[in-house]
Amino acid sequence: MKNLVPRILLASLFVFASFAAAGAQVKSKTAKADTAAEQPGDLQKFRQDFIKAAEEYRASLQELSASYESNLKKLAEKHEQLKGLYTDGLIARKEFEASEAEMTDARARVEEMRTEMARADETLAAARRPIEPLSTAAPLQVASAQVKWTTGSTAIDNLIRLNGQRYGVDPYLVYCVMRQESGFRLGATSPVGAAGLMQLMPGTAARYGVSNPYDPAQSIRGGTRYLADLLRLFGGRVDLALAGYNAGEGAVMKYGRRIPPYRETQNYVRTIGTRYAQSGGGVMLTGKSVEREARGNRR
């Protein structure tokens, strides 16, 4: 156990170093190089680095899990011995209960590690999927100017860029939606059941193959694909794509391909649309423009 800890720490450091290297690859280049960092070669390099780091992290979890299970086995054997001694009245109840508490804690650590390994497996599976070719059915909205942005996590920033490039969606638009939806909180859950960074509803998550909406890789992949489909469906119009993300594409279609007359949806489109317009790629949605859409829907 003493020799195990340094190896786990080294493996963890490697994971963070790999993410930092991928982030530096994006950040170390100038404003001109922000776009170059999203070219296919750099994208593939980041993808390979991400997979390698995730594999190292998975291996460290497996090693740590083995030590936890070994410890649990030893505690179980000790507990059985104490059980016999307690039954014979040779030890106090307090000592026996302390052994039970140790067993409970050890089981919890083993289960926690198994859950974490399952999440790591899901992340690896998502990262290993081939990048899907972009559809040319309809143009997507891409910002004409670059703006500096960050979620506060290099790994999440890189996942946004990776999926934005993969599905043809401006990463800054994905960032703006995530900021509004979850405030970058991994465990965010809405009262109506939307979950994760991109706040996917259960039906939407299932549609895009997201089995764990709280996993960043799955959430960002599913949310970005949904945005891409909405942009294609509405001819690249960001305002209608945002309305569809909030209220569902059916609601936008119901009101004649207009922003539905729901206060929540109108505020949602106005807030994100105004922020996204700062990049030069969005449409500035003022209060009057959204209200005009709503009046048109009521006619």
Side-chain angles (χ1 to χ4, degrees):
M1 187 69 181
K2 289 182 180 179
N3 294 327
L4 176 64
V5 175
R7 292 201 296 273
I8 297 300
L9 290 176
L10 285 173
S12 300
L13 285 173
F14 176 84
V15 173
F16 289 117
S18 297
F19 281 134
Q25 184 175 314
V26 174
K27 293 181 180 178
S28 65
K29 304 181 181 179
T30 57
K32 180 180 179 181
D34 277 342
T35 54
E38 294 172 2
Q39 295 303 314
D42 291 320
L43 179 65
Q44 187 63 23
K45 178 65 167 56
F46 164 71
R47 189 162 175 260
Q48 291 171 351
D49 288 344
F50 181 89
I51 291 173
K52 185 176 181 181
E55 288 173 341
E56 289 288 335
Y57 179 58
R58 173 65 169 73
S60 71
L61 289 177
Q62 189 169 18
E63 191 173 2
L64 190 58
S65 178
S67 73
Y68 283 168
E69 290 182 3
S70 175
N71 184 53
L72 176 60
K73 183 178 179 180
K74 291 177 181 178
L75 287 174
E77 292 172 354
K78 177 184 175 182
H79 185 68
E80 282 301 312
Q81 293 175 354
L82 292 177
K83 184 177 180 181
L85 294 174
Y86 176 67
T87 301
D88 294 338
L90 299 176
I91 61 171
R93 180 185 182 89
K94 185 176 180 180
E95 187 175 351
F96 179 66
E97 289 179 343
S99 174
E100 285 188 326
E102 277 188 307
M103 285 278 293
T104 300
D105 290 344
R107 287 196 190 97
R109 284 194 295 271
V110 168
E111 288 303 316
E112 183 180 359
M113 194 55 54
R114 287 174 180 170
T115 300
E116 192 62 31
M117 287 174 65
R119 288 174 181 167
D121 287 338
E122 290 172 356
T123 300
L124 268 171
R128 287 168 175 161
R129 287 192 187 97
I131 297 177
E132 298 177 11
L134 299 178
S135 170
T136 56
L140 300 186
Q141 184 72 35
V142 178
S144 59
Q146 296 292 325
V147 295
K148 293 182 179 180
W149 57 268
T150 180
T151 63
S153 166
T154 300
I156 291 176
D157 290 353
N158 285 332
L159 283 170
I160 290 175
R161 290 187 176 93
L162 174 69
N163 285 281
Q165 179 70 21
R166 174 182 290 171
Y167 301 114
V169 180
D170 181 11
Y172 184 60
L173 179 60
V174 180
Y175 162 86
C176 289
V177 171
M178 185 188 295
R179 175 176 173 177
Q180 184 69 20
E181 288 286 350
S182 66
F184 313 128
R185 291 178 293 111
L186 296 176
T189 306
S190 79
V192 295
L197 288 172
M198 298 298 286
Q199 287 291 278
L200 299 176
M201 292 293 288
T204 305
R207 187 198 314 179
Y208 291 102
V210 176
S211 60
N212 179 11
Y214 296 106
D215 175 55
Q218 291 194 48
S219 180
I220 295 170
R221 172 174 53 81
T224 305
R225 285 187 65 188
Y226 188 32
L227 278 172
D229 286 346
L230 290 169
L231 285 164
R232 291 188 180 96
L233 178 64
F234 299 120
R237 282 190 56 177
V238 174
D239 55 347
L240 296 184
L242 292 173
Y245 199 96
N246 178 259
E249 58 269 35
V252 177
M253 300 295 286
K254 174 183 176 181
Y255 288 97
R257 298 173 72 88
R258 296 173 180 267
I259 300 171
Y262 313 145
R263 180 174 297 179
E264 178 189 332
T265 301
Q266 291 170 11
N267 289 337
Y268 182 90
V269 173
R270 183 185 299 112
T271 300
I272 299 179
T274 300
R275 182 175 295 123
Y276 182 59
Q278 296 172 3
S279 71
V283 178
M284 180 62 74
L285 300 171
T286 63
K288 290 183 179 179
S289 68
V290 175
E291 290 167 6
R292 193 181 304 118
E293 283 273 273
R295 284 198 300 272
N297 290 334
R298 290 194 290 266
R299 290 175 183 171

